[in-house]
Amino acid sequence: MAIFSRLFTLLALSYFAFVVQITMAGDADIVSDFIVPSNLTGGIDGNFFTFTGMRALGDADPPTTFKVSKASLAEFPALNGQSVSYAVLQFPAMTTNPPHTHPRSTELLFLLDGSLQVGFVDTTNTLFTQTLQSGDLFVFPKGLVHFQYNADAKNPALAISAFGSANAGTVSLPNTLFATGIDDNVLAISFKTDVATIQALKAGLTPKP
């Protein structure tokens, strides 16, 4: 009986540690209504809770490449502790938001204009895809690889994404794999190709002067 008791205790502790890890994976709960940055002096008013960075979108020329405009913790300090952020996604014709993940949040995309081909891959390597039309919403589960693609050869697309974290994080697969200095041989073996191919991929991701 003593052995079973110790085993049960170990299993219970393991389960507790697992639950704690999951709980801590998202934004931490706060014990105040909001968090004021320590370097902000002189009190706050409504301006602190207002983000005006998206105003420029209305006056700017349409982008020629895919563009993301964010309202996250980095741009909008009032979001600290609020477990929410936004991004505006602008897709010129035939552009893509390359495969990427958000390690700290689910993404809920609302397509305002145009059409998009979207998809994600789950942990069983199953691909889920959909063609969205204006007015559609699509959810990308937390941490899974996903993408968006405007396949329309003539018309742009515009979407807004909401995140359940003030700092969802973005891990771009192309940049992470081929623009961070991982050894060419490691990548060549992993992708079952040769070093020359890996170097060509890396060169394609090198910023143009």
Side-chain angles (χ1 to χ4, degrees):
M1 292 295 293
I3 294 177
F4 286 107
S5 177
R6 287 197 294 271
L7 179 61
F8 177 79
T9 301
L10 287 173
L11 289 173
L13 288 173
S14 298
Y15 175 76
F16 176 75
F18 176 71
V19 170
V20 168
Q21 183 178 11
I22 291 177
T23 303
M24 295 178 65
D27 290 1
D29 287 336
I30 60 175
V31 293
S32 59
D33 296 331
F34 48 84
I35 297 175
V36 179
S38 58
N39 61 351
L40 189 64
T41 58
I44 61 170
D45 56 19
N47 290 318
F48 175 70
F49 301 99
T50 304
F51 180 71
T52 61
M54 300 300 182
R55 292 180 182 178
L57 296 177
D59 299 326
D61 293 331
T64 57
T65 59
F66 170 71
K67 181 180 179 181
V68 181
S69 300
K70 297 180 180 180
S72 65
L73 178 60
E75 298 82 18
F76 192 9
L79 296 182
N80 192 12
Q82 303 303 320
S83 299
V84 66
S85 58
Y86 272 95
V88 175
L89 313 178
Q90 295 175 278
F91 297 85
M94 301 297 292
T95 59
T96 184
N97 187 3
H100 61 283
T101 71
H102 301 296
R104 292 182 288 275
S105 177
T106 297
E107 176 180 356
L108 182 61
L109 182 144
F110 175 38
L111 183 58
L112 291 171
D113 188 43
S115 64
L116 283 178
Q117 294 181 11
V118 301
F120 68 86
V121 179
D122 71 6
T123 54
T124 68
N125 286 328
T126 301
L127 173 64
F128 298 87
T129 62
Q130 185 61 272
T131 299
L132 304 181
Q133 304 298 328
S134 179
D136 292 345
L137 286 87
F138 192 87
V139 62
F140 302 98
K142 179 180 178 179
L144 297 184
V145 174
H146 60 281
F147 63 89
Q148 300 109 19
Y149 171 48
N150 179 12
D152 193 313
K154 296 182 179 179
N155 299 307
L158 177 66
I160 294 177
S161 283
F163 301 92
S165 169
N167 183 22
T170 300
V171 179
S172 168
L173 267 64
N175 289 333
T176 298
L177 291 171
F178 299 108
T180 56
I182 297 176
D183 186 87
D184 292 348
N185 291 296
V186 172
L187 293 172
I189 294 170
S190 299
F191 287 95
K192 295 180 172 58
T193 186
D194 53 51
V195 169
T197 300
I198 297 300
Q199 291 176 342
L201 289 169
K202 287 185 173 182
L205 290 169
T206 301
K208 301 298 186 293

